[in-house]
Amino acid sequence: MDEPKVDLLPDEDFRRVLCVVAHPDDVEYGTSAAVARWTSRGVEVAYLLLTGGEAGMQRPPAETRVLRAGEQRAACDAAGVRALTVLDHPDGMLVYSLDLRRDIAREIRRFRPDVVVTGSWDVEFVAGLNQADHRAAGLACADAVRDADNTWVFPELAAQEGLAKWGATWLLVSGDNRPTHGVDVSGEPVERGIASLEAHAGYLGDLSGHPSPRELIGGVTAAGGRALGVANAVLFRAYRLR
């Protein structure tokens, strides 16, 4: 096997992980296999979805939101995730703003994770052109990680809501073109990752020509595995913050 091109993520000390994404299904495009590995070790993982994904299907938004919430809950179950929070920012029109940063910082202070995971905010990412909501979510999350640890940014979170500042140790970015670390998800974790994407059956059925979850996740994690020197891996650009 080729020499590894990324380092193994030192995740032995992970205790709490917060995944922050724009839509239902965003975590399931690979990251959930790493989540499944972590939860199998007893790591507590929570998901924060900034929208309900109501603009993602060709049916009335209110109906779509309910369907996608149910599918996301099933996807969480497949990966061993109990805590799921869905906010009501508008799908397809997510805007980088102080309000968005505050909402993410609030959840960081409430959940107190040692690791925050989000998606790439670059215009081009591993899958090509990145969608606008993904960019807004990733950049707002990167800034909110610092906001959550600053006494003087959003002081009302402490004064009015009792949420003291909190500093995460790691920020992990999925989908980045320049990954630095990988998580070995060979075996059961990748199978659970596939199952988590399969849980979005209604949504995927609305997408013409979408590959099967097994084909997509198998291919993505096999490519990651080649970079890490294992059978299957999920890659991140990792920032150690403290």
Side-chain angles (χ1 to χ4, degrees):
M1 191 169 285
D2 293 340
E3 187 73 18
K5 300 178 180 64
V6 300
D7 294 328
L8 185 67
L9 184 69
D11 59 4
E12 300 85 0
D13 296 333
F14 287 9
R15 294 293 176 265
R16 285 187 173 184
V17 177
L18 175 64
C19 298
V20 180
V21 295
H23 312 112
D25 85 283
D26 284 353
V27 181
E28 281 69 56
Y29 279 89
T31 299
S32 59
V35 169
R37 175 181 168 86
W38 295 328
T39 59
S40 71
R41 294 207 320 257
V43 177
E44 186 178 359
V45 181
Y47 288 0
L48 175 64
L49 277 57
L50 304 178
T51 82
E54 68 276 5
M57 301 176 69
Q58 297 305 308
R59 62 176 71 193
E63 179 183 338
T64 297
R65 186 180 180 95
V66 171
L67 182 149
R68 300 199 72 188
E71 292 189 338
Q72 184 61 64
R73 182 65 264 169
C76 287
D77 292 344
V81 174
R82 291 194 296 269
L84 170 64
T85 300
V86 183
L87 302 184
D88 59 0
H89 292 277
D91 182 23
M93 296 177 287
L94 192 64
V95 176
Y96 177 96
S97 65
L98 290 176
D99 285 345
L100 188 61
R101 283 167 50 186
R102 183 187 297 107
D103 285 347
I104 300 169
R106 176 184 290 109
E107 188 64 14
I108 293 170
R109 290 186 178 201
R110 189 197 66 78
F111 186 64
R112 301 167 74 86
D114 44 28
V115 184
V116 176
V117 181
T118 194
S120 171
W121 52 87
D122 289 341
V123 173
E124 292 186 54
F125 73 144
V126 292
L129 285 176
N130 203 358
Q131 197 255 10
D133 283 1
H134 298 163
R135 303 198 310 267
L139 186 57
C141 181
D143 290 338
V145 167
R146 285 183 171 174
D147 297 337
D149 195 28
N150 190 322
T151 302
W152 310 117
V153 177
F154 308 131
E156 66 274 18
L157 294 178
Q160 299 173 18
E161 301 181 35
L163 297 172
K165 71 173 185 174
W166 178 259
T169 301
W170 290 91
L171 173 65
L172 305 182
V173 183
S174 67
D176 195 285
N177 283 316
R178 305 151 298 158
T180 58
H181 293 75
V183 176
D184 184 355
V185 298
S186 307
E188 183 183 0
V190 75
E191 290 299 320
R192 291 172 64 191
I194 292 167
S196 73
L197 184 56
E198 288 175 338
H200 294 279
Y203 171 70
L204 296 180
D206 249 28
L207 303 179
S208 177
H210 193 282
S212 72
R214 179 165 297 278
E215 178 185 355
L216 193 154
I217 301 303
V220 167
T221 59
R226 289 191 291 273
L228 188 61
V230 298
N232 300 91
V234 174
L235 305 185
F236 299 100
R237 187 165 185 84
Y239 298 91
R240 182 150 196 156
L241 306 176
R242 60 180 63 232

